[in-house]
Amino acid sequence: MKHGAEDVSFRTVAAMKFGLYASAIAVAAVCSVAHAETDLLAAAHDALMHDPVYAAAVAQNQADATRRKQGRSGFLPQVLATGNMRYGTLDQETTGAHFAGGGFGSSNGIAFDTRAAGATGAGWAVTIKENLYSAAKNADARQMNNAADAGDASLRLARQTLLLQVAQAYFAVLAAEDDVAALKSTREAALEASRIAQGRFEAGEAAITDVNDARARADLARAQKLAAETALDLRRAELRDLTGNADTALRRPGNAAAVESIPAGDLADWQSRAMTGNPLIELRRLGVDSAKAETSRYRPGAGTTVDAFASYIGDRMNGAGYGGNSSMRSNSAVVGIMVTIPLYTGGLRSAKAEESAALLNRAGLDEDAARVAVAREVRQAFLGLQSSKVQVTALTQALRSAELQLDANRTGFEAGDRPSIDVLNAGQALFATRRDLAAARYQVALNRLRLSAAAGELDEEQLARINALLR
C-alpha cells in the first residue's frame, strides 16, 4: 500500500509538474508584460538620441547642407579689398621721354629721375569681380548641390539602418529570453523527473536507466541554460549600446493574429518603389551626375572663362628727394571684361578628360551594382516575410499536435503505460514549438521592416505600426 500510494503521488505530482512545464513560456511572457517598461518605438527614439554613429551622420548632414551655398557663391560678385604700408627708398630713372609744356615748347630724348629716400608709403585697392561664364564653376555648383543631396540621402540611410538595428536587437532579446525560459523549464522538469525516478527506483518500480536518463537531461539543460543566459546578456548589451538605457522588460507581440496578418504586398511593386526610393541607389545616381559634371569641365572650349571686373587703386609715398621732400600720389579706377583661354596646359586637360570619362563609366557601373544589390535585398526580405508567415502557420499546427502529444503521454504516464522520460520529451517538444512559433512571429515583423528599409520607406511611422502589435 505504501508503494501504491507513493506511485499515485509520483504520477500526480509529475503530471502537475509537466503541465506547469508545458505552460512555462506563457507564464514567462505574462510576467515580462506585467513589468514591461520599454516598447519598440520608445527604444528607437532613445537610440536616435543616443547612438554616436547616427549623431555623427546628423553632424555630417549639417556640414553637407552648406554645399549648396558654396556652389552658388561662384556666381555671385567677389569683392576684395587690400592695403599695405611700407618703408624704403624709391629711385626711378626715365630716358628718351617726350616733354611738352605751355610756353616751353616740346623736347624729345628727355631724361629725368626721381628719388624718395627713407620714404613711407601706403596703398590700397578694392576690386569687384563677377564670373559671366565658366564651365568649371558650373560643374562646381552642380557637384556641390549633388553633395548636399547626397548628405540628405546618407542621413536617411543612417536613420533607417539604426531603426532596423534597434528592431533586430529588440526582437533578438525577446528570442533569447524565450530560449532561457525554455531551458529553465526543461531543467526543472528534468530535475523533477530525476527525483521521481529515483523514488521509484528505490521502491523497486523503475530501472536505474530512468534515473540516469533524467539526470543526464537535467545536466544538459543546465549547461545549455548557462550558454543561453550568456547569449541573453550579449543581446541585452547590444540593445543597451544602441539606446543608452539600462535593461528593462520589453513588450511582446500581444495580438498573434495581427502579427500573422501583416501583408507582404506585391514583389514587383516593392521592387519598383525600391528603385526610386532606396537611399543607396540615390547616392549612386548622384555620383553619376557628379561624374558627368566633372567631364563637362574638360570638353573642348570649356576651359574658357569670362569675368567682369571693376577696381579702384590708390597709392601714396613721401620721402627725401633731390633738394627737398619728395611726394608721389597715384589713383586709378577701371572697369572691364577679362577673357581667359587656356591655349596649352602641358596635356593636363586632355589627361583629365580621359580620367573623368573613366570615372563616369565606373560611377555608372556602381549604380548598376547598387540596383542589383537592392533588388536582391528586396527579394530576400519579401521571400523571408512570406516564408516566416508560412512558418507561423505550420508551427501553429505543430503546436496543436504537440499539445495532443503531451496530453496522450501524460495520460499514459498516469496509467503507468509511459515512462516519465516520454512525458518530459513531449513537454520539451511543446515548449520548443511555442518558442519557435514566437520566433517566427518576430521574423514576420522583422522581415516587414527589412522590406520597408529596402524600399527606402522605413521610418517611425512604419515602426509604430509594428509597435502597435506589442502589449
Side-chain angles (χ1 to χ4, degrees), residues 25 171 174-175 178 388 391-392 395 433-446:
I25 192 169
F171 286 112
L174 294 184
D178 293 345
S388 55
Q391 287 181 21
V392 167
L395 286 168
T433 303
R434 283 181 174 167
R435 178 195 59 197
D436 294 343
L437 177 57
R441 287 178 177 141
Y442 302 156
Q443 287 302 312
V444 170
L446 273 175

Side-chain angles (χ1 to χ4, degrees), residues 93-99 107-113:
E93 181 178 354
T94 303
T95 60
H98 173 77
F99 178 82
S107 301
N108 295 320
I110 300 298
F112 63 89
D113 60 87

Side-chain angles (χ1 to χ4, degrees), residues 215-257:
R215 286 178 178 173
R217 180 65 58 83
D219 291 340
L220 177 61
R222 179 176 180 273
Q224 292 175 331
K225 176 174 172 289
L226 291 174
E229 288 173 342
T230 300
L232 174 58
D233 289 341
L234 292 175
R235 300 293 87 76
R236 284 174 172 166
E238 290 173 2
L239 183 60
R240 185 170 61 248
D241 290 343
L242 290 171
T243 64
N245 293 332
D247 297 336
T248 57
L250 304 180
R251 296 182 186 270
R252 293 172 170 270
N255 189 340

Side-chain angles (χ1 to χ4, degrees), residues 120-275:
T120 58
W124 61 90
V126 177
T127 303
I128 301 175
K129 182 180 179 181
E130 182 173 359
N131 179 257
L132 302 180
Y133 170 78
S134 171
K137 289 187 180 296
N138 290 336
D140 285 341
R142 187 172 165 185
Q143 290 173 333
M144 290 293 183
N145 286 332
N146 286 338
D149 292 340
D152 293 337
S154 295
L155 182 60
R156 282 203 303 120
L157 181 60
R159 192 178 188 89
Q160 287 192 156
T161 299
L162 179 58
L163 293 179
L164 192 56
Q165 286 176 337
V166 170
Q168 291 175 159
Y170 186 98
F171 286 112
V173 171
L174 294 184
E177 288 177 348
D178 293 345
D179 199 30
V180 170
L183 292 168
K184 179 181 179 182
S185 294
T186 298
R187 182 170 183 269
E188 290 175 351
L191 289 172
E192 181 64 17
S194 175
R195 187 189 68 78
I196 295 171
Q198 181 67 35
R200 294 188 67 185
F201 171 72
E202 293 173 356
E205 298 176 355
I208 190 62
T209 54
D210 288 347
V211 178
N212 293 336
D213 286 344
R215 286 178 178 173
R217 180 65 58 83
D219 291 340
L220 177 61
R222 179 176 180 273
Q224 292 175 331
K225 176 174 172 289
L226 291 174
E229 288 173 342
T230 300
L232 174 58
D233 289 341
L234 292 175
R235 300 293 87 76
R236 284 174 172 166
E238 290 173 2
L239 183 60
R240 185 170 61 248
D241 290 343
L242 290 171
T243 64
N245 293 332
D247 297 336
T248 57
L250 304 180
R251 296 182 186 270
R252 293 172 170 270
N255 189 340
V259 174
E260 297 163 15
S261 63
I262 292 176
D266 179 69
L267 177 58
D269 180 56
W270 281 111
Q271 295 279 24
S272 176
R273 286 151 61 181
M275 292 303 105

Side-chain angles (χ1 to χ4, degrees), residues 36 150-151 161 168 251 299 341 357 360 425:
T161 299
Q168 291 175 159
R251 296 182 186 270
R299 292 196 305 266
I341 302 174
L360 174 58
N425 288 337

Side-chain angles (χ1 to χ4, degrees), residues 438-453:
R441 287 178 177 141
Y442 302 156
Q443 287 302 312
V444 170
L446 273 175
N447 282 318
R448 180 59 176 80
L449 294 175
R450 292 186 181 112
L451 196 53
S452 295

